[in-house]
Amino acid sequence: MTQGLATLETLADTAIDSTLGYEKAAERATDANLQNTLRSAGAERRKVVSSLNNEISRLGGTPRQDGSFSGSAHRAWVDITTMFGDKNESAVERVEEGEDYIKGKFQSALDGDDLQPESRQVVQQCYAQICEGERMSDRLGSQFS
């Protein structure tokens, strides 16, 4: 397997999970501004997926489309937890959890040494967007909790 391909695939799966999480949170939220913010964040995260998939293709891999099993489980948990309490607050809490998780995954990939220089550059660019999403989720957290 090409050096770093498995790491890129894992990051792409995680970014897909994040995108789907944003979309699910937007569906659950009742505040129109929050819904728009979450949809916009999901669209930005789709760009991360696209960048990672382009790099996966460049390395000869198959672009990722489905996300991970753990991401599916997390979305099911979101369904359960948003049935109770404030839907906006629950949506934001799940987004904050997801952002902390994805930021850690990208940071670990950058701290490792298995990425080729070209792949590392792609991951660093994606990480910048991930960090912006994490800062946005923190702002939402202070607004809706």
Side-chain angles (χ1 to χ4, degrees):
M1 180 177 278
T2 303
Q3 181 183 0
L5 185 57
T7 298
L8 291 169
E9 290 171 341
T10 298
L11 293 176
D13 286 342
T14 305
I16 291 167
D17 293 340
S18 178
T19 300
L20 296 173
Y22 271 119
E23 292 168 357
K24 177 68 78 173
E27 289 172 13
R28 296 290 183 198
T30 58
D31 181 88
N33 288 331
L34 178 58
Q35 289 173 336
N36 289 335
T37 298
L38 295 173
R39 283 188 192 109
S40 177
E44 286 300 312
R45 198 51 51 87
R46 283 203 181 278
K47 293 177 186 176
V48 168
V49 173
S50 179
S51 293
L52 292 168
N53 273 336
N54 287 342
E55 184 63 8
I56 289 168
S57 292
R58 186 186 75 77
L59 295 176
T62 302
R64 311 302 277 190
Q65 297 184 21
D66 296 327
S68 68
F69 174 76
S70 63
S72 296
H74 186 259
R75 286 187 295 281
W77 176 246
V78 169
D79 285 341
I80 293 167
T81 60
T82 57
M83 291 181 352
F84 309 101
D86 183 275
K87 292 186 187 281
N88 296 318
E89 184 177 342
S90 295
V92 169
E93 287 172 359
R94 299 301 78 80
V95 165
E96 284 183 295
E97 290 169 2
E99 285 303 300
D100 290 342
Y101 179 77
I102 193 171
K103 184 177 178 186
K105 287 287 240 187
F106 273 75
Q107 187 62 59
S108 292
L110 290 170
D111 289 345
D113 61 359
D114 68 329
L115 294 173
Q116 297 178 10
E118 300 88 350
S119 298
R120 179 171 296 283
Q121 184 176 5
V122 169
V123 171
Q124 285 172 329
Q125 291 168 350
C126 292
Y127 182 69
Q129 195 285 327
I130 298 296
C131 289
E132 180 54 39
E134 201 266 335
R135 286 188 295 273
M136 182 270 308
S137 74
D138 288 345
R139 287 189 303 270
L140 289 175
S142 64
Q143 182 180 355
F144 285 95
S145 57

